[in-house]
Coordinates of all heavy atoms in Angstrom, one line a residue:
E134 N 103.1 118.1 73.0 CA 102.7 119.4 73.4 C 103.9 120.4 73.4 O 103.8 121.6 73.1 CB 102.1 119.4 74.8 CG 100.8 118.6 74.9 CD 100.3 118.6 76.3 OE1 100.9 119.2 77.2 OE2 99.2 117.9 76.5
K135 N 105.1 119.8 73.6 CA 106.3 120.7 73.5 C 107.3 120.0 72.6 O 107.5 118.8 72.5 CB 107.0 120.8 74.9 CG 106.1 121.6 75.9 CD 106.9 121.8 77.2 CE 106.1 122.7 78.2 NZ 106.8 122.9 79.5
R136 N 108.0 120.9 71.8 CA 109.1 120.4 70.9 C 110.3 120.0 71.8 O 110.5 120.6 72.8 CB 109.5 121.5 69.9 CG 108.4 121.8 68.9 CD 109.0 122.8 67.9 NE 108.0 123.1 66.8 CZ 107.6 124.2 66.5 NH1 107.9 125.3 67.3 NH2 106.7 124.4 65.6
S137 N 111.1 119.1 71.3 CA 112.3 118.7 72.0 C 113.3 119.9 71.8 O 113.2 120.7 70.9 CB 112.9 117.4 71.4 OG 113.4 117.6 70.1
I138 N 114.3 119.9 72.7 CA 115.3 121.0 72.5 C 116.0 120.8 71.2 O 116.3 121.8 70.5 CB 116.4 120.9 73.7 CG1 115.7 121.2 75.0 CG2 117.6 121.8 73.4 CD1 116.6 120.9 76.2
R139 N 116.3 119.6 70.7 CA 117.0 119.4 69.5 C 116.1 119.9 68.3 O 116.6 120.6 67.4 CB 117.2 117.9 69.3 CG 117.8 117.5 67.9 CD 118.3 116.1 67.9 NE 117.1 115.2 68.1 CZ 117.2 113.8 68.3 NH1 118.4 113.3 68.2 NH2 116.2 113.1 68.5
E140 N 114.8 119.7 68.3 CA 113.9 120.1 67.3 C 113.9 121.6 67.3 O 113.9 122.2 66.2 CB 112.5 119.6 67.5 CG 111.5 120.1 66.4 CD 110.1 119.5 66.5 OE1 109.9 118.7 67.5 OE2 109.3 119.7 65.6
G141 N 113.8 122.3 68.4 CA 113.9 123.7 68.5 C 115.1 124.3 67.9 O 115.1 125.3 67.2
M142 N 116.2 123.6 68.1 CA 117.5 124.1 67.6 C 117.5 123.9 66.1 O 118.1 124.7 65.3 CB 118.7 123.3 68.2 CG 118.9 123.7 69.7 SD 120.2 122.7 70.5 CE 121.6 123.3 69.6
M143 N 117.0 122.8 65.6 CA 116.9 122.6 64.1 C 116.1 123.6 63.4 O 116.5 124.2 62.4 CB 116.4 121.2 63.8 CG 117.3 120.0 64.2 SD 116.6 118.4 63.6 CE 116.5 118.7 61.9
R144 N 114.9 123.9 64.0 CA 114.0 124.9 63.4 C 114.7 126.3 63.3 O 114.6 127.0 62.3 CB 112.7 125.0 64.1 CG 111.8 123.8 63.9 CD 110.5 124.0 64.6 NE 109.7 125.1 63.9 CZ 109.0 124.9 62.8 NH1 108.9 123.7 62.3 NH2 108.4 125.9 62.2
K145 N 115.4 126.6 64.4 CA 116.1 127.9 64.5 C 117.2 127.9 63.5 O 117.4 128.9 62.7 CB 116.7 128.1 65.9 CG 117.3 129.5 66.0 CD 117.7 129.7 67.5 CE 118.3 131.1 67.7 NZ 118.8 131.3 69.1
G146 N 118.0 126.8 63.3 CA 119.1 126.8 62.4 C 118.7 126.9 60.9 O 119.3 127.5 60.1
L147 N 117.5 126.2 60.6 CA 117.0 126.2 59.3 C 116.1 127.5 59.0 O 115.7 127.6 57.8 CB 116.1 125.0 59.0 CG 116.9 123.6 59.0 CD1 115.9 122.5 59.0 CD2 117.8 123.5 57.9
K148 N 115.9 128.3 60.0 CA 115.0 129.4 59.9 C 113.7 129.0 59.2 O 113.1 129.6 58.3 CB 115.7 130.5 59.0 CG 116.9 131.0 59.6 CD 117.6 132.1 58.7 CE 118.9 132.7 59.4 NZ 119.5 133.7 58.6
S149 N 113.1 127.9 59.9 CA 111.9 127.3 59.3 C 110.7 128.1 59.2 O 109.8 127.9 58.4 CB 111.6 126.0 60.1 OG 112.6 125.0 60.1
D150 N 110.6 129.2 60.0 CA 109.4 130.0 60.0 C 109.6 131.3 59.2 O 108.7 132.1 59.1 CB 109.0 130.4 61.5 CG 108.7 129.2 62.3 OD1 107.9 128.3 61.8 OD2 109.1 129.1 63.4
S151 N 110.8 131.4 58.5 CA 111.0 132.6 57.7 C 110.8 132.3 56.2 O 111.0 131.2 55.8 CB 112.4 133.1 57.9 OG 113.4 132.2 57.4
R152 N 110.3 133.3 55.5 CA 110.1 133.2 54.1 C 110.6 134.5 53.4 O 110.6 135.6 53.9 CB 108.6 133.0 53.8 CG 108.0 131.7 54.2 CD 108.6 130.5 53.5 NE 107.9 129.3 53.9 CZ 108.3 128.5 54.9 NH1 109.3 128.9 55.7 NH2 107.6 127.4 55.1
L153 N 111.1 134.3 52.2 CA 111.5 135.4 51.3 C 110.3 136.4 51.1 O 109.2 135.9 51.0 CB 112.1 135.0 50.0 CG 113.4 134.2 50.1 CD1 113.8 133.6 48.8 CD2 114.5 135.2 50.6
P154 N 110.5 137.6 50.9 CA 109.4 138.6 50.5 C 108.8 138.2 49.2 O 109.4 137.6 48.3 CB 110.1 139.9 50.4 CG 111.4 139.8 51.2 CD 111.8 138.4 51.0
F155 N 107.5 138.5 49.1 CA 106.7 138.3 47.9 C 107.4 138.8 46.6 O 107.5 138.1 45.6 CB 105.4 139.0 48.1 CG 104.2 138.6 47.2 CD1 103.4 137.5 47.6 CD2 104.0 139.1 45.9 CE1 102.3 137.1 46.8 CE2 103.0 138.7 45.1 CZ 102.1 137.7 45.6
E156 N 108.0 140.0 46.7 CA 108.6 140.6 45.5 C 109.9 139.9 45.1 O 110.3 140.1 44.0 CB 108.9 142.1 45.8 CG 107.6 143.0 46.0 CD 107.1 142.8 47.4 OE1 107.7 142.1 48.2 OE2 106.0 143.5 47.7
Q157 N 110.5 139.1 45.9 CA 111.7 138.4 45.5 C 111.4 137.1 44.9 O 112.3 136.4 44.3 CB 112.6 138.2 46.8 CG 113.3 139.4 47.3 CD 114.3 139.2 48.4 OE1 114.8 138.1 48.4 NE2 114.5 140.2 49.2
L158 N 110.2 136.6 45.0 CA 109.8 135.3 44.5 C 108.9 135.4 43.2 O 109.0 134.5 42.3 CB 109.0 134.5 45.5 CG 109.7 134.2 46.8 CD1 108.7 133.6 47.8 CD2 110.8 133.2 46.5
F159 N 108.2 136.5 43.1 CA 107.2 136.6 42.0 C 107.3 137.8 41.2 O 107.7 138.9 41.7 CB 105.8 136.5 42.6 CG 105.6 135.4 43.6 CD1 105.1 135.6 44.9 CD2 105.9 134.1 43.3 CE1 105.0 134.6 45.8 CE2 105.8 133.0 44.1 CZ 105.3 133.3 45.4
Y160 N 107.0 137.7 39.9 CA 107.2 138.7 38.9 C 106.0 138.9 38.0 O 105.2 138.1 37.9 CB 108.5 138.4 38.1 CG 109.7 138.3 38.9 CD1 110.0 137.1 39.6 CD2 110.6 139.4 39.0 CE1 111.2 137.0 40.4 CE2 111.8 139.2 39.8 CZ 112.0 138.1 40.5 OH 113.1 137.9 41.3
Q161 N 106.0 140.1 37.3 CA 104.9 140.4 36.4 C 105.5 140.4 35.0 O 106.4 141.2 34.6 CB 104.3 141.8 36.7 CG 103.2 142.3 35.8 CD 102.0 141.5 36.1 OE1 101.5 141.3 37.3 NE2 101.3 140.9 35.0
D162 N 105.0 139.5 34.2 CA 105.2 139.4 32.7 C 106.6 138.9 32.4 O 106.8 138.2 31.4 CB 105.0 140.7 32.0 CG 103.5 141.2 32.1 OD1 102.6 140.3 32.1 OD2 103.4 142.4 32.2
D163 N 107.7 139.3 33.1 CA 109.0 138.8 32.9 C 109.8 139.0 34.2 O 109.2 139.5 35.2 CB 109.7 139.5 31.8 CG 109.8 141.0 31.9 OD1 110.1 141.5 33.1 OD2 109.6 141.7 30.9
F164 N 111.1 138.6 34.2 CA 111.9 138.6 35.4 C 112.5 140.0 35.7 O 113.2 140.1 36.7 CB 112.9 137.5 35.4 CG 112.5 136.1 35.7 CD1 112.2 135.2 34.7 CD2 112.2 135.8 37.0 CE1 111.8 134.0 35.0 CE2 111.8 134.5 37.3 CZ 111.5 133.6 36.3
Q165 N 112.1 141.0 34.9 CA 112.6 142.3 35.2 C 111.6 143.1 36.1 O 112.0 144.2 36.5 CB 112.8 143.0 33.8 CG 113.7 142.3 32.9 CD 115.1 142.1 33.4 OE1 115.7 143.0 34.0 NE2 115.6 140.8 33.3
K166 N 110.5 142.6 36.3 CA 109.4 143.4 37.0 C 108.9 142.7 38.2 O 108.0 141.8 38.1 CB 108.2 143.7 36.1 CG 108.6 144.4 34.8 CD 107.4 144.5 33.9 CE 107.9 144.9 32.5 NZ 106.8 144.8 31.5
P167 N 109.5 142.9 39.5 CA 109.0 142.3 40.7 C 107.5 142.6 40.9 O 107.0 143.7 40.6 CB 109.9 142.9 41.8 CG 111.1 143.3 41.1 CD 110.7 143.8 39.7
L168 N 106.8 141.5 41.3 CA 105.4 141.7 41.5 C 105.0 142.1 43.0 O 105.3 141.4 43.9 CB 104.7 140.4 41.2 CG 103.1 140.3 41.3 CD1 102.5 141.4 40.4 CD2 102.6 138.9 41.1
N169 N 104.4 143.3 43.1 CA 104.0 143.7 44.4 C 102.8 143.0 44.8 O 101.8 142.9 44.0 CB 103.7 145.3 44.3 CG 103.4 145.8 45.7 OD1 102.3 145.7 46.2 ND2 104.3 146.5 46.3

Side-chain angles (χ1 to χ4, degrees):
E134 293 180 3
K135 292 184 178 180
R136 295 186 176 117
S137 69
I138 295 175
R139 177 172 56 187
E140 181 175 5
M142 292 177 65
M143 285 186 66
R144 290 187 65 84
K145 186 176 181 180
L147 293 172
K148 297 181 180 179
S149 298
D150 296 316
S151 66
R152 293 293 187 273
L153 292 172
F155 199 91
E156 294 81 1
Q157 288 186 28
L158 296 171
F159 311 127
Y160 299 82
Q161 182 70 50
D162 298 325
D163 58 39
F164 281 101
Q165 303 303 313
K166 306 169 189 172
L168 180 60
N169 184 282

